[in-house]
């Protein structure tokens, strides 16, 4: 390895080492209200002394914390007056900034402290951080019910991801007229409602299937959307058994929560529940075959250290292989085109279409 090659590797190590401190520095600039003050002030900007006075911290703290966002072009500093103004941040729309900031807050509340225990979580196959921080044994989704601050930090990101990906998925949801659809792990029936929104003219009937404790909220969502005649809820556990009587099984944002063995249990249960010729439509987090996405930057540590202690994205070819292993015949696949996604996008998805033969 030449010195130039070694320098490139060392530079990557530097990026990893400084990643947490860079993140914390930028978030603190937002949380102190510095960005909001500069946004309100406009082109005249504010000096460190003025910012210190309105944020209640020292001039020294302001000057030190703003070195990084100035270096990275988020904020500008006038050479003559020393006044600070928004630079790159000013080029973002309110909608774009509102999309980014929930991720920043979620990482602080859900990820940072738990990821201190990532190595132990991987070794032991459980979320050690939840036990150390909250005395809770189980996965993140169970813990978030007992600790509302976790849910409050995670929910806006979840809504942002589904709001972005749902139109892509439901516009590609191939449903025959009159189909009886089961939405496996359909949570609180948002998927059933959206299936009706996109395909209701086909006369479909959609059942949300999830854990029994989701029923009340699911029925409220169904009633609120006015689709009570064509949607319903059934309680159960996809790892145990899936009810029969459906033509199409829809699985989204669920298989990627599990390792191979548990994902295969769900897929085999789905296979057993469907009649011959029944269809499976499965969407999941995906590593693009060319590796060109931020999926790998975030999700392995997130799944192993923060949420499930298992699961994670797979390549589309792997998802298709698992679905074939469960007995299905693959009839089509589609991968999200990440070149058309916003530059801050982290998740990448794919869909596998299959039939029970």
């Amino acid at each position: 390895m030449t010195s130039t090659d070694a320098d490139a590797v060392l530079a990557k190590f530097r990026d990893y080492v400084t990643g947490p401190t860079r993140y914390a520095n930028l978030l603190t600039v937002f949380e102190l209200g510095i960005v909001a003050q500069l946004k309100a002030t406009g082109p005249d900007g504010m000096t460190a002394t003025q910012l210190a006075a309105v944020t209640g911290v020292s001039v020294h703290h302001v000057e030190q914390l703003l070195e990084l966002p100035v270096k990275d072009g988020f904020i500008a500093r006038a050479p003559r007056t020393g006044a600070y103004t928004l630079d790159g941040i000013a080029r973002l729309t309110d909608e774009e900034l509102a999309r980014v900031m929930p991720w920043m807050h979620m990482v602080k509340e859900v990820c940072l402290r738990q990821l201190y225990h990532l190595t132990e979580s991987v070794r032991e196959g459980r979320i050690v951080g939840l036990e150390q921080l909250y005395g809770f044994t189980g996965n993140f989704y169970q813990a978030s019910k007992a600790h509302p601050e976790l849910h409050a930090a995670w929910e806006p990101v979840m809504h942002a991801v589904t709001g972005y990906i749902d139109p892509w998925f439901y516009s590609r949801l191939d449903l025959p007229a009159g189909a009886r659809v089961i939405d496996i792990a359909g949570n609180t029936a948002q998927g059933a409602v959206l299936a009706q929104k996109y395909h209701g003219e086909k006369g479909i009937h959609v059942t949300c299937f999830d854990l029994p404790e989701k029923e009340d909220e699911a029925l409220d969502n169904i009633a609120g959307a006015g689709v009570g005649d064509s949607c319903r809820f059934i309680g159960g556990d996809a790892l145990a058994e899936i009810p029969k009587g459906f033509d199409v099984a829809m699985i989204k944002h669920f298989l990627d929560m599990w390792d191979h063995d548990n994902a295969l249990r769900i897929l085999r249960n789905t296979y057993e529940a469907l009649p011959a010729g029944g269809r499976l439509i499965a969407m999941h987090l995906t590593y693009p075959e060319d590796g060109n996405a931020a999926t790998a930057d975030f999700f392995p540590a997130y799944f192993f250290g923060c949420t499930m202690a298992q699961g994670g994205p797979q390549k589309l070819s792997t998802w298709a292989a698992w679905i074939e292993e469960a007995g299905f015949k693959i009839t089509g696949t589609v991968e999200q085109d990440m070149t058309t996604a916003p530059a801050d996008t982290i998740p990448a998805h794919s869909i596998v279409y299959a039939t029970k033969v």
Side-chain angles (χ1 to χ4, degrees):
M1 179 179 289
T2 67
S3 60
T4 301
D5 293 334
D7 285 346
V9 175
L10 289 169
K12 286 184 180 293
F13 269 99
R14 180 194 61 206
D15 290 343
Y16 277 80
V17 169
T18 59
T21 51
R22 286 163 53 83
Y23 157 80
N25 190 325
L26 181 62
L27 180 60
T28 299
V29 168
F30 276 92
E31 291 186 336
L32 288 174
I34 292 174
V35 171
Q37 290 293 335
L38 294 178
K39 188 172 185 178
T41 304
D44 293 335
M46 299 178 72
T47 66
T49 300
Q50 292 170 322
L51 285 168
V54 296
T55 58
V57 301
S58 74
V59 173
H60 176 76
H61 284 120
V62 171
E63 290 175 337
Q64 288 289 310
L65 286 169
L66 290 182
E67 285 294 325
L68 176 65
V70 168
K71 166 183 171 288
D72 283 348
F74 289 116
I75 291 172
R77 180 174 53 221
R80 184 177 62 85
T81 65
Y84 296 95
T85 56
L86 295 184
D87 188 3
I89 293 173
R91 295 194 286 273
L92 299 181
T93 66
D94 289 343
E95 179 182 357
E96 288 169 332
L97 197 57
R99 188 176 67 230
V100 171
M101 291 312 298
W103 281 91
M104 297 285 285
H105 292 301
M106 189 274 285
V107 167
K108 177 181 179 179
E109 190 67 41
V110 174
C111 299
L112 282 187
R113 294 172 297 166
Q114 289 199 72
L115 288 177
Y116 178 84
H117 303 281
L118 175 59
T119 303
E120 292 84 355
S121 294
V122 170
R123 283 176 174 156
E124 299 180 26
R126 58 192 179 90
I127 304 297
V128 174
L130 289 176
E131 298 181 12
Q132 294 293 321
L133 296 167
Y134 298 98
F136 187 91
T137 301
N139 63 49
F140 170 80
Y141 307 104
Q142 296 163 338
S144 66
K145 297 175 185 177
H147 299 278
E149 69 275 18
L150 292 175
H151 183 79
W154 170 81
E155 186 177 36
V157 171
M158 182 270 292
H159 284 315
V161 171
T162 56
Y164 164 67
I165 200 64
D166 280 351
W168 178 80
F169 173 68
Y170 287 100
S171 65
R172 290 163 176 79
L173 191 59
D174 183 20
L175 298 177
R180 299 164 298 168
V181 182
I182 182 168
D183 185 10
I184 296 172
N187 196 19
T188 54
Q190 297 95 336
V193 169
L194 284 170
Q196 286 294 340
K197 174 184 175 181
Y198 280 84
H199 301 278
E201 77 284 353
K202 298 178 181 178
I204 62 172
H205 295 264
V206 188
T207 295
C208 173
F209 174 68
D210 211 311
L211 299 174
E213 57 262 33
K214 306 287 185 70
E215 181 170 8
D216 289 344
E217 189 174 351
L219 293 178
D220 286 345
N221 289 333
I222 289 169
V227 292
D229 291 340
S230 54
C231 293
R232 62 174 179 154
F233 179 91
I234 295 179
D237 183 353
L239 285 165
E241 186 179 18
I242 293 172
K244 296 178 171 60
F246 300 94
D247 311 302
V248 179
M250 180 169 67
I251 307 178
K252 61 190 191 308
H253 306 298
F254 187 54
L255 290 177
D256 41 42
M257 294 171 62
W258 309 97
D259 59 18
H260 168 269
D261 291 347
N262 281 322
L264 198 61
R265 283 176 63 190
I266 294 164
L267 288 167
R268 284 175 171 159
N269 288 344
T270 304
Y271 185 89
E272 291 300 319
L274 289 172
R279 303 184 187 183
L280 168 66
I281 305 172
M283 180 181 73
H284 17 246
L285 289 166
T286 301
Y287 296 126
E289 300 288 342
D290 63 5
N292 187 25
T295 318
D297 296 69
F298 182 78
F299 284 105
Y302 174 72
F303 274 109
F304 293 163
C306 303
T307 60
M308 295 291 293
Q310 63 175 298
Q314 301 289 341
K315 289 185 177 182
L316 175 54
S317 56
T318 301
W319 288 126
W322 289 10
I323 290 170
E324 284 185 320
E325 187 178 354
F328 289 96
K329 177 182 178 181
I330 307 300
T331 58
T333 62
V334 60
E335 190 171 348
Q336 187 181 357
D337 181 5
M338 296 306 293
T339 64
T340 65
D344 57 288
T345 301
I346 294 175
H349 298 81
S350 66
I351 304 172
V352 176
Y353 305 89
T355 302
K356 178 175 178 176
V357 294

